[in-house]
Amino acid sequence: MGIDGTTKIVGIFGAPVAHTASPAMHNAAFAALGLNWLYLPFHVEPSHLRAALDGIRCLGLAGVNLTVPHKVLALAMLDDVDDEVRRIGAVNTVSIADGRLRGHNTDAAGFSTAIQEEFGLSLRGTRVLILGAGGAARAIAVRCAGEGAAAIWIANRTPANAESIVRAVGDRAHVASLRSLPEADLVVNATSVGLHEGDSLGLPAKFFSARHCVFDTIYRPAETELLRTARQAGARVANGTGMLLHQGARAFEIWTGEKAPLSVMRDALQAAIEGNA
Ligand code: ATR
């Protein structure tokens, strides 16, 4: 598709943004559907975020994704956000209608779709142990509550951060320790531990069994120490690629109103992740 005067432009605001796999995933989807759309990376420093968001209006962009460090900062700079976004306290997708900027959190929906797809598991009635209490953990915990998880245990290095999520999520959530692990059906790593060679959460294999589903929000490396340990102990495991795919697919659908071509997006995402390794 050639770029011309009618090309619709979306993109991602982040700092850094150089290693993002999102342009590959979205541009492949636009090409597959023959849409005259383009997805671009924008390196935006936090001090410029307000001006950049205004730029969506001024330049006529059709929307953007937001990544580190903008997901929380942007919340106060938008015209409309839905209830789930407010409870999560973070926004990763912005759309525009009638000149108003609207915030969405497609990470949350992306998580539940990935869990369903990877494990055939519905969050309803599931006991979930979330490791970590940052932005990703918060989106996951709010979604688990919204979909009727039976218990949401949050274990974090800094208990005060876990308490803050518990307050946002309500009575099914509890600050927990790793001792809850044997009772959980689904274990989710939402910490950044595992991104680097030699990182370890220190969970022993004896904590895991075949009844566990273990999901790591990290997708590079493809297998963290947590996933390796859990897999070797017989648990079912999945990395964060599916969550990244489905948050992107949801954003694509919000912007274009078209059904996202999932297999095209998945292949492009995988190639970009491997190419960036
Ligand atoms: P994101 O927005 O991607 O979730 P974040 O907000 O920086 O990222 O959160 C990172 C999470 O990883 C936090 O829960 C952090 O724990 P603290 O709340 O105690 O800071 C956790 N984390 C980071 N490094 C860690 C480490 N070495 N050991 C244990 N937890 C760690």
Side-chain angles (χ1 to χ4, degrees):
M1 183 70 59
I3 296 168
D4 61 22
T6 66
T7 303
K8 292 204 173 169
I9 298 172
V10 288
I12 182 164
F13 294 172
V17 81
H19 292 288
T20 176
S22 291
M25 171 168 65
H26 284 281
N27 287 322
F30 296 145
L33 297 193
L35 297 176
N36 187 6
W37 286 59
L38 182 64
Y39 186 110
L40 296 171
F42 296 97
H43 185 106
V44 174
E45 292 295 338
S47 59
H48 292 148
L49 180 60
R50 191 178 287 277
L53 288 169
D54 254 348
I56 297 174
R57 254 188 293 260
C58 303
L59 300 173
L61 305 190
V64 292
N65 283 136
L66 301 172
T67 187
V68 177
H70 302 316
K71 291 184 183 188
V72 175
L73 268 176
L75 198 61
M77 302 177 182
L78 301 173
D79 302 308
D80 304 302
V81 295
D82 64 30
D83 224 36
E84 185 178 59
V85 170
R86 214 175 286 288
R87 289 178 74 200
I88 294 169
V91 48
N92 80 320
T93 301
V94 179
S95 62
I96 181 162
D98 301 326
R100 291 179 71 79
L101 298 179
R102 182 171 187 85
H104 313 259
N105 191 308
T106 69
D107 289 332
F111 167 75
S112 73
T113 307
I115 293 300
Q116 178 72 50
E117 185 178 83
E118 302 279 5
F119 302 128
L121 188 68
S122 155
L123 293 173
R124 175 163 299 280
T126 296
R127 290 166 300 177
V128 188
L129 171 63
I130 300 170
L131 312 175
R138 208 172 169 96
I140 289 166
V142 167
R143 192 65 181 197
C144 287
E147 293 197 13
I152 302 159
W153 292 305
I154 300 165
N156 193 48
R157 176 178 63 179
T158 310
N161 294 341
E163 277 155 22
S164 150
I165 298 188
V166 166
R167 277 195 298 277
V169 166
D171 47 1
R172 256 161 303 148
H174 304 278
V175 176
S177 71
L178 299 176
R179 279 194 296 276
S180 300
L181 203 151
E183 287 174 65
D185 308 305
L186 173 64
V187 180
V188 181
N189 177 33
T191 74
S192 47
V193 181
L195 281 172
H196 303 110
E197 186 70 33
D199 274 1
S200 174
L201 281 163
L203 293 175
K206 66 171 190 225
F207 277 19
F208 296 100
S209 70
R211 55 172 295 280
H212 285 116
C213 293
V214 182
F215 182 84
D216 203 320
T217 59
I218 293 171
Y219 53 88
R220 195 167 44 217
E223 189 173 68
T224 57
E225 187 210 53
L226 169 71
L227 293 189
R228 187 164 55 252
T229 304
R231 176 175 57 76
Q232 286 169 351
R236 301 169 65 200
V237 301
N239 71 23
T241 308
M243 182 170 168
L244 185 61
L245 168 70
H246 289 293
Q247 66 73 32
R250 188 62 69 104
F252 181 96
E253 291 174 355
I254 289 170
W255 294 325
T256 66
E258 303 278 346
K259 190 153 174 35
L262 278 176
S263 67
V264 168
M265 293 177 83
R266 191 189 310 272
D267 290 349
L269 182 59
Q270 202 60 55
I273 290 172
E274 283 162 16
N276 273 342

